[in-house]
Amino acid sequence: MGVTYKYFGAPDGATAARVPISMRPEELGGDELGMGGMFTKIKPETIAAMVLTGIQGMPLHKVPPLELVVLHPDYAVVKLPMTVVDPLRGVGEESVGAAAFIWSTVPDRGGPRDAYNVYQLLHEWQDFSKRLHENGHQPYCLVWP
């Protein structure tokens, strides 16, 4: 079946650590991600690399690691660096389109992705970045099998 990722915002690591035990993953939502939350099969490392290399022009080997907040037998919570979401707030359509094109050519397990799908994903992340900023939150990801 694979791993599922739920991206969310929290003011700090202690709050983020309580998210999985305060409610079941399928019930998460209603935070700054909207009522349905942002569920995806895309790994946080991939999102980080997509933004930092495609938009910031950072070499792939310089992409900072994720910070482990909680490691539980049933789930994990990781913190994404703010450098992953902050650059998206101010970029225009040209940058998003260029990054989408670049990342559409990167093969993953399912083969290269359609540039338009990557473009839509980056726009979702742009909205996520704005909501995080407005709420004073940092980006986190709940990972569970």
Side-chain angles (χ1 to χ4, degrees), residues 6-47:
K6 197 285 185 176
Y7 294 92
F8 66 98
D12 53 51
T15 303
R18 288 192 304 272
V19 165
I21 56 175
S22 65
M23 58 190 89
R24 295 170 19 159
E26 59 271 13
E27 294 171 352
L28 288 172
D31 54 9
E32 73 281 349
L33 293 180
M35 293 309 292
M38 192 161 131
F39 295 90
T40 182
K41 295 285 185 187
I42 299 174
K43 295 190 284 189
E45 305 86 57
T46 303
I47 294 291

Side-chain angles (χ1 to χ4, degrees), residues 25-77:
E26 59 271 13
E27 294 171 352
L28 288 172
D31 54 9
E32 73 281 349
L33 293 180
M35 293 309 292
M38 192 161 131
F39 295 90
T40 182
K41 295 285 185 187
I42 299 174
K43 295 190 284 189
E45 305 86 57
T46 303
I47 294 291
M50 189 182 300
V51 171
L52 294 175
T53 61
I55 292 179
Q56 291 292 95
M58 183 181 288
L60 195 55
H61 69 279
K62 297 241 184 208
V63 173
L66 305 175
E67 179 184 323
L68 184 63
V69 176
V70 175
L71 181 58
H72 184 274
D74 297 327
Y75 61 85
V77 175

